[in-house]
Every structure is written in structure tokens, then in C-alpha cells.
């Protein structure tokens, strides 16, 4: 499930109820992230606190978020990234193009 919380500085999108971002939920996640960036014109933080596994479809969501944020001069960040997911993000060098909060 994807949860969207709005506050004055940014929108926090969270993956909840599952510890995986895969082809089964990546579409819903991408829609939430892209809509917040492109339609609402808001900075977005993707809270990945529950995510312990991400597949290539999930990685493509992250890259799409970066692209749409740049096109709209907005900020897209990840937060609470678990170690196993962080290893993949580093391996794919995504940490070079996206900000990651502790």
C-alpha cells in the first residue's frame, strides 16, 4: 500500500504494509510520486522505512522520480533506506543522482 502525507514543506510518500517494491506495487508507487511532483508541484520524500527488497521495476520508479523532479525544478529524496536496499542503490550508483536522508 502507498500512503501519501502532505505537509507545508513537502509530501511524504510511504510504502506501507509490505517490505517489497516490485512489479506488483511499483505502478501505484510511481503514480503517487509522479503525480505529487508533476501535478501538485511539490517536493517529495519517499519513505522506504519498511522496504527490505526492491526489484528493477522499483528502481525504475526511483529514476522516474529523479527525472520528473528535475524537469519541474523540485526535490525528490529517499528516507529511511534499509541496508539491503542501500547496497543495491549504491551498486547501481543511484546514490549519485538522488539525495538520501539518514
Amino acid at each position: 500500500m502507498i500512503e501519501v502525507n502532505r505537509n507545508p514543506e513537502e509530501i511524504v510518500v510511504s510504502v506501507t504494509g509490505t517490505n517489497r517494491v516490485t512489479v506488483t506495487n511499483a505502478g501505484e508507487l510511481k503514480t503517487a510520486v509522479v503525480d505529487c511532483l508533476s501535478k501538485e508541484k511539490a517536493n517529495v520524500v519517499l519513505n522506504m522505512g519498511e522496504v527490505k527488497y526492491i526489484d528493477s521495476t522499483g528502481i525504475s520508479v526511483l529514476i522516474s522520480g529523479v527525472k520528473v523532479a528535475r524537469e519541474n525544478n523540485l526535490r525528490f529524496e529517499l528516507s529511511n533506506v534499509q541496508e539491503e536496499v542501500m547496497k543495491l542503490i549504491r551498486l547501481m550508483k543511484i546514490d549519485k543522482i538522488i539525495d538520501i536522508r539518514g
Side-chain angles (χ1 to χ4, degrees):
M1 177 152 82
I2 307 304
E3 185 177 296
V4 178
N5 294 301
R6 291 162 180 81
N7 64 51
E9 299 85 38
E10 61 202 8
I11 296 176
V12 178
V13 177
S14 301
V15 179
T16 61
T18 183
N19 63 358
R20 302 168 66 84
V21 176
T22 64
V23 69
T24 59
N25 62 352
E28 181 185 4
L29 179 60
K30 181 177 179 179
T31 298
V33 168
V34 169
D35 283 356
C36 292
L37 289 164
S38 62
K39 293 180 181 175
E40 296 191 43
K41 302 292 187 201
N43 295 317
V44 172
V45 175
L46 177 55
N47 177 6
M48 299 185 61
E50 292 186 25
V51 178
K52 295 181 191 239
Y53 176 82
I54 187 168
D55 71 4
S56 60
T57 311
I59 293 293
S60 73
V61 171
L62 304 183
I63 294 168
S64 293
V66 170
K67 180 180 177 210
V68 174
R70 287 181 179 172
E71 289 170 353
N72 290 284
N73 294 315
L74 295 167
R75 191 179 74 247
F76 176 64
E77 299 177 334
L78 303 181
S79 69
N80 303 313
V81 180
Q82 301 294 315
E83 188 57 37
E84 288 303 310
V85 174
M86 191 59 149
K87 286 178 186 176
L88 180 61
I89 287 172
R90 286 186 188 120
L91 179 69
M92 298 185 74
K93 302 196 185 296
I94 294 170
D95 59 324
K96 305 295 183 201
I97 63 168
I98 192 168
D99 291 327
I100 301 172
R101 292 184 184 180

